[in-house]
């Protein structure tokens, strides 16, 4: 049984909440971490509508549930619900990991950790790089603190809705200044060819599309798509044709953010690579 059965919730119970949730790979990832680290736990999918989120999450912890991951569209609601937030969850304005401590619901955000761990695995530097971030939604907000703290030379944010990019520049301006990072925002029709590391954080891939961009942006750049799929994503296919130096999708980020949640809950750091390899192989089988 893949889905949470409330009558079975106890101190070994973990779940991922989203809507939709049937597609989630989180149970497979966490159960592989558990086997690797000899941890006894159960991890289920839990579909919740927005209007039941607060009440059901509180109920889960009140009957002894151990921890929750939160995905679209509930990361903002999870942030509002928490009595205590980590520094990175505060910056992100979004929470993807919940747990109970001293009888209070605590929230953290591990997306930035997951992205940075995957860029490190790929051997793609962040420090001193000219970075382009495409998109200005929750995922970008979640990763900006971690990226800025790695001291790239520049982060330019472009987004279809310019006001959202401007807001992110405003929110992160002090942190960027403290790390000597030039943070600016531009329109989606920007033309420039000085970017070394380009990250697509739009949800266009969900509709089978790449965002409409000037090819000069990715010329000779390393291109990362937070979106992942069994086949090369629309953005990565487009970037490779436009002359990108190398491309990678967000499956590694997904496993990396899960590893950090696992560490928060169990105090043990699982190995990311074997789980990533296993997931990639099973995704390939579906094509
Ligand atoms: P949001 O809904 O918060 O933001 C979506 C962003 O995509 C906005 O900036 C939006 O622009 C932009 N966008 C959507 N469609 C288009 C389009 N056709 N052309 C240009 N821009 C477009 O989503 P998230 O930030 O939470 O997620 C973004 C992506 O990152 C998703 O694909 C998600 O699956 C992925 N992700 C992956 C993770 C991983 O672990 N690998 C973790 C978290 C997210 P506008 O503001 O104008 O609407």
């Amino acid at each position: 049984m893949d889905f949470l059965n409330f009558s079975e919730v106890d101190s070994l119970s973990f779940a991922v909440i989203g809507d939709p949730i049937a597609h989630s790979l989180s149970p497979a990832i966490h159960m592989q971490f558990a086997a690797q680290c000899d941890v006894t736990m159960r991890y289920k999918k839990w579909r919740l509508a927005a209007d039941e989120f607060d009440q059901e999450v509180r109920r889960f912890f009140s009957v002894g549930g151990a921890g929750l991951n939160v995905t679209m569209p509930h990361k903002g609601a999870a942030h509002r619900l928490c009595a205590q937030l980590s520094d990175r969850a505060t910056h992100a304005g979004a929470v993807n990991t919940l747990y109970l401590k001293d009888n209070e619901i605590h929230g953290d955000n591990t997306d930035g950790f997951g992205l940075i761990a995957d860029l490190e695995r790929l051997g793609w530097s962040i420090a001193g790089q000219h970075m382009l971030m495409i998109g200005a939604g929750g995922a970008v907000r979640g990763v900006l603190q971690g990226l800025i703290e790695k001291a790239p030379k520049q982060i330019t944010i472009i987004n279809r809705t310019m006001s959202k990019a401007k807001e992110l520049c405003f929110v992160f301006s002090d942190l960027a200044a403290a790390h000597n990072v030039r943070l600016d925002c531009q329109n989606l029709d920007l033309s420039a060819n000085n970017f070394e590391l380009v990250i697509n954080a739009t949800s266009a891939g969900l509709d089978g599309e790449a965002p409409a961009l000037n090819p000069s942006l990715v010329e000779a750049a390393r291109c990362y798509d937070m979106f992942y799929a069994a086949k090369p994503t629309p953005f990565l296919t487009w970037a490779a044709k436009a002359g990108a130096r190398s491309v990678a999708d967000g499956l590694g980020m997904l496993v990396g953010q899960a590893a950090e949640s696992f560490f928060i809950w169990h105090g043990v750091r699982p190995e990311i690579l074997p789980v990533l390899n296993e997931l990639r192989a099973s995704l390939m089988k579906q094509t």
Side-chain angles (χ1 to χ4, degrees):
M1 165 92 163
D2 280 352
F3 290 88
L4 187 79
N5 175 354
F6 222 102
S7 63
E8 291 173 0
V9 171
D10 61 18
S11 62
L12 301 179
S13 297
F14 295 82
V16 56
I17 305 176
D19 187 13
I21 199 62
H23 66 287
S24 176
L25 298 175
S26 292
I29 296 171
H30 279 277
M31 293 317 290
Q32 285 184 56
F33 287 159
Q36 200 193 92
C37 300
D38 220 2
V39 166
T40 305
M41 63 183 276
R42 290 187 299 278
Y43 190 111
K44 304 288 181 180
K45 299 174 192 175
W46 192 11
R47 185 170 168 209
L48 275 185
D51 60 357
E52 43 186 11
F53 182 85
D54 284 22
Q55 187 189 333
E56 290 298 283
V57 168
R58 289 187 201 286
R59 189 156 78 100
F60 175 87
F61 285 115
S62 73
V63 298
L68 294 167
N69 279 135
V70 182
T71 187
M72 272 166 44
H74 298 309
K75 289 183 184 180
H79 181 266
R80 290 188 290 277
L81 175 81
C82 288
Q84 300 292 334
L85 292 167
S86 67
D87 185 40
R88 49 195 184 181
T90 303
H91 267 101
V95 157
N96 75 343
T97 307
L98 293 169
Y99 58 100
L100 205 64
K101 190 174 158 194
D102 301 331
N103 250 345
E104 288 187 317
I105 299 178
H106 283 56
D108 206 335
N109 187 311
T110 64
D111 283 339
F113 178 94
L115 174 64
I116 289 164
D118 205 36
L119 294 175
E120 282 170 359
R121 173 188 69 87
L122 292 161
W124 295 8
S125 324
I126 301 171
Q129 298 288 291
H130 290 91
M131 290 187 62
L132 176 68
M133 182 65 80
I134 309 160
V140 176
R141 201 177 163 128
V143 301
L144 271 176
Q145 180 193 5
L147 288 175
I148 289 169
E149 288 173 354
K150 291 285 174 186
K153 190 155 202 79
Q154 173 188 358
I155 303 178
T156 295
I157 303 173
I158 58 174
N159 194 43
R160 195 172 53 180
T161 308
M162 183 67 169
S163 57
K164 288 199 210 162
K166 280 191 175 155
E167 192 193 333
L168 286 185
C169 279
F170 176 73
V171 169
F172 287 91
S173 58
D174 287 351
L175 189 71
H179 289 83
N180 268 329
V181 179
R182 204 159 64 234
L183 180 64
D184 68 340
C185 58
Q186 304 281 346
N187 281 311
L188 211 58
D189 62 4
L190 174 71
S191 168
N193 65 356
N194 65 326
F195 294 112
E196 295 156 302
L197 178 56
V198 175
I199 298 180
N200 177 39
T202 71
S203 51
L206 293 167
D207 300 322
E209 290 170 13
L213 300 171
N214 192 310
S216 65
L217 296 177
V218 296
E219 218 176 273
R222 293 178 157 133
C223 292
Y224 191 93
D225 194 352
M226 286 195 191
F227 184 63
Y228 56 84
K231 292 186 291 189
T233 67
F235 170 74
L236 295 180
T237 304
W238 170 82
K241 272 196 201 137
R245 176 175 168 185
S246 35
V247 296
D249 77 7
L251 192 64
M253 175 179 173
L254 180 78
V255 182
Q257 61 78 28
E260 183 69 354
S261 294
F262 190 92
F263 174 68
I264 290 167
W265 293 328
H266 306 290
V268 197
R269 284 200 184 280
E271 269 191 74
I272 293 172
L273 200 55
V275 177
L276 175 57
N277 290 340
E278 167 80 29
L279 273 191
R280 180 71 70 193
S282 70
L283 271 184
M284 302 284 278
K285 275 191 211 145
Q286 292 167 22
T287 58

